[in-house]
Amino acid sequence: MTYRTTMAAAALAALLAGCNKEAKQAEKVEKAPKGGGDLLVWVMPNSPKPEADIITLLEPFKAAHPDVNVKISVLDWGSAWTKLTTAAISGDGPDVVQLGATWTPFITDLGALLPLDDMDAELHVKDTFLPSTWAQVKPRASAHVTSLPWFLDVRPMFYRTDVFAKAKVDPKTVDTWDGYLAGLEKIKALGLKNDGQPIEPIGFPGKNDWNVVHNFAPWIWSAGGDFLNPMGDKCTLNSPESMKGILFYLDMVHKGLNPKGNMEKNTAQVSADFDAGRIASMFESTIKNTFLERPPEQGGSAGSHVAGNYGVLLPPAGPAKRSLFMGGSYLAVFKSSKRPDLAKMLIRYMTADSAAQVNYSEMSGFLPALKAAFNSPYFTADAKRAVFKDMVQYGRCYAAVPYWGEIETSILMKRMGNLFDIAAEVNGPYSEAAVRAEVDAAVKDIDNQIETQFKTHPEQRAVLEKSMAAAAQ
């Protein structure tokens, strides 16, 4: 059963079972559709107070549109996919919906989203939003813009300034893979301890994390590799470039720079180790910075030893380039919306209003997708957030093809999880041959999946070929 049919079946089963307020903004208010009404918005828990924070975010919008009543429904990430696909198939969904970055191609392919080409014509997506978001806004197999980027999830390097200083590692020297590796080895050689436990040079999670594929991606891309070829119809994970990135990442475990025990942990557990002083560097979402800045009474750790001794850096550049995974979320309007013009007006405010973008970044810790928002002093006047501003130019996401979801969840999560087992020597000594065999198996699985997809949806190959031809012109 394919990802599409699996998700469709699950959705159907669930269905049956349960069946700067600027002049420009003022101009938009004048052009807003007459009459108000209710708008139902589905979002995920993106901040410590998900519903209350959205209500606060929308206060300026509500003041400008008192006749519009926005109802917020917060979906947990665990059930969101089923509810979204159920709504997409049934045609009974909210007016506005949050979509994870890698979800937009699949939901678009279900035909459930309202084309937003008029908003693209008005906002000029490629001038307004960061380049890394463009592919998801208009997936390859779609003729239409179907969503607008809301916020971004990028992962800088968090490091202990005091540990780096003791090991005489100049942060400026860890800007490349070679420099970073040399710095990690100096920290390991020093043998620092925290409460009797060694301070590990780096911490990253293994097979039990929800970011397994995202964690590999920057190393593969920075080595010049990729998951799929440019057209998106063949897997390239075993290319020399991709393998170079995979092996470099796993070698940090093999060399003892990242403890084998971390291969059983998830991001939250490794992040807690950093907070407890047991790790000298890690790659984490920018929400980590918000946590370290906030006082304990607001759920943060400001005032702790680690919170007073950390810095942020750009992840190191690989032999080919510096390339970072950039996730995040998008906003779309369901075709079933009874008030599509009001819904579009709302997502315009949430995505294209600079003040709203900065405000939500402050609340959630994620980054704006709107280019203009990074001109705010919130980013330019703070040394750490200035690094985040630099980072977004290196962000990228996976190929925006409708079958990426199954590739990621059904194949890569398992196969790349197995790579962590190989690195941890769970079933035998670590070897490059074992890594290559596992990657080759992943490539075979992915190519088979793509061929199966094209057999059931031959029109998608034609659309991809047309897209490639257009890009070449």
Side-chain angles (χ1 to χ4, degrees):
M1 183 175 284
T2 67
Y3 182 74
R4 172 190 295 271
T5 53
T6 300
M7 291 301 115
L12 184 58
L15 178 65
L16 293 174
C19 301
N20 60 141
K21 307 280 174 286
E22 298 170 342
K24 287 184 177 179
Q25 185 178 11
E27 182 182 347
K28 298 303 173 190
V29 172
E30 290 174 5
K31 291 181 179 178
K34 294 180 179 179
D38 293 343
L39 286 177
L40 177 59
V41 180
W42 284 3
V43 296
M44 271 63 102
N46 311 308
S47 63
K49 298 177 290 181
E51 183 173 357
D53 287 338
I54 295 291
I55 291 172
T56 300
L57 174 70
L58 296 183
E59 284 178 356
F61 179 84
K62 285 284 294 177
H65 307 286
D67 53 350
V68 178
N69 180 36
V70 181
K71 297 180 178 178
I72 308 298
S73 180
V74 180
L75 313 181
D76 68 79
W77 283 100
S79 64
W81 178 254
T82 298
K83 289 185 177 180
L84 283 170
T85 51
T86 298
I89 293 169
S90 69
D92 184 17
D95 298 282
V96 172
V97 62
Q98 173 184 346
L99 299 173
T102 59
W103 297 2
T104 59
F106 184 81
I107 300 296
T108 295
D109 193 52
L110 291 178
L113 304 181
L114 190 72
L116 302 177
D117 303 303
D118 55 340
M119 297 192 74
D120 181 23
E122 174 202 356
L123 294 171
H124 303 287
V125 166
K126 292 189 175 182
D127 295 330
T128 305
F129 299 100
L130 291 162
S132 58
T133 67
W134 298 347
Q136 313 305 122
V137 164
K138 185 179 179 182
R140 288 187 190 180
S142 173
H144 304 288
V145 167
T146 56
S147 67
L148 294 181
W150 185 19
F151 61 79
L152 305 176
D153 178 13
V154 295
R155 293 146 198 223
M157 181 200 302
F158 288 82
Y159 75 101
R160 287 277 301 278
T161 54
D162 54 340
V163 172
F164 272 46
K166 288 178 181 176
K168 301 186 184 313
V169 177
D170 183 345
K172 295 178 181 176
T173 65
V174 302
D175 193 50
T176 64
W177 283 12
D178 289 343
Y180 185 44
L181 192 59
L184 296 179
E185 289 173 338
K186 288 176 72 173
I187 293 170
K188 183 174 178 61
L190 190 62
L192 291 173
K193 292 188 176 181
N194 176 70
D195 291 336
Q197 294 184 320
I199 298 178
E200 306 295 349
I202 181 176
F204 58 80
K207 66 180 182 180
N208 294 319
D209 194 41
W210 49 89
N211 296 306
V212 167
V213 185
H214 307 340
N215 292 339
F216 270 99
W219 306 96
I220 292 169
W221 291 331
S222 294
D226 206 344
F227 293 86
L228 301 179
N229 65 358
M231 183 167 152
D233 65 340
K234 290 288 183 184
C235 182
T236 58
L237 209 50
N238 56 358
S239 71
E241 295 83 4
S242 297
M243 285 302 305
K244 191 169 189 175
I246 291 169
L247 290 168
F248 183 89
Y249 191 44
L250 295 177
D251 268 354
M252 286 192 278
V253 181
H254 180 55
K255 292 176 178 176
L257 302 173
N258 183 39
K260 292 178 181 176
N262 282 349
M263 298 297 92
E264 297 289 336
K265 295 181 178 179
N266 59 35
T267 292
Q269 292 170 311
V270 173
S271 189
D273 286 341
F274 182 85
D275 298 337
R278 295 192 285 268
I279 292 175
S281 69
M282 67 175 300
F283 300 90
E284 240 283 43
S285 170
T286 54
I287 60 176
K288 179 73 176 177
N289 193 58
T290 304
F291 171 78
L292 291 165
E293 287 181 333
R294 282 180 176 158
E297 59 269 25
Q298 295 180 19
S301 67
S304 69
H305 175 77
V306 171
N309 292 277
Y310 81 98
V312 298
L313 295 168
L314 290 172
K321 56 188 171 181
R322 192 194 319 268
S323 189
L324 317 175
F325 170 74
M326 184 175 282
S329 285
Y330 294 64
L331 293 175
V333 178
F334 263 62
K335 282 181 178 174
S336 57
S337 173
K338 299 294 191 296
R339 300 172 181 81
D341 290 339
L342 285 179
K344 287 194 286 187
M345 191 170 65
L346 179 66
I347 68 170
R348 187 192 188 288
Y349 167 76
M350 294 173 74
T351 62
D353 184 288
S354 187
Q357 282 273 288
V358 174
N359 287 343
Y360 200 57
S361 182
E362 292 184 43
M363 294 174 188
S364 67
F366 292 113
L367 301 185
L370 186 71
K371 291 179 181 176
F374 287 95
N375 296 326
S376 164
Y378 183 67
F379 292 101
T380 60
D382 180 272
K384 295 185 177 71
R385 284 189 282 274
V387 173
F388 302 162
K389 179 181 178 180
D390 291 340
M391 279 185 65
V392 296
Q393 64 181 305
Y394 302 106
R396 64 178 291 186
C397 196
Y398 309 115
V401 290
Y403 40 86
W404 176 259
E406 180 156 15
I407 290 174
E408 179 181 333
T409 58
S410 298
I411 300 174
L412 288 175
M413 286 290 288
K414 174 187 173 185
R415 293 293 183 184
M416 289 187 151
N418 292 343
L419 294 178
F420 286 131
D421 276 347
I422 294 171
E425 301 185 308
V426 172
N427 299 310
Y430 174 83
S431 71
E432 183 176 320
V435 174
R436 290 186 181 280
E438 190 64 33
V439 173
D440 286 342
V443 171
K444 184 178 180 180
D445 290 348
I446 292 171
D447 284 343
N448 287 339
Q449 174 57 39
I450 294 174
E451 284 303 313
T452 300
Q453 178 80 13
F454 287 159
K455 285 180 181 176
T456 53
H457 299 279
E459 75 283 359
Q460 291 182 352
R461 183 189 289 277
V463 172
L464 293 179
E465 290 173 344
K466 185 177 180 180
S467 174
M468 285 294 294
Q473 293 177 349

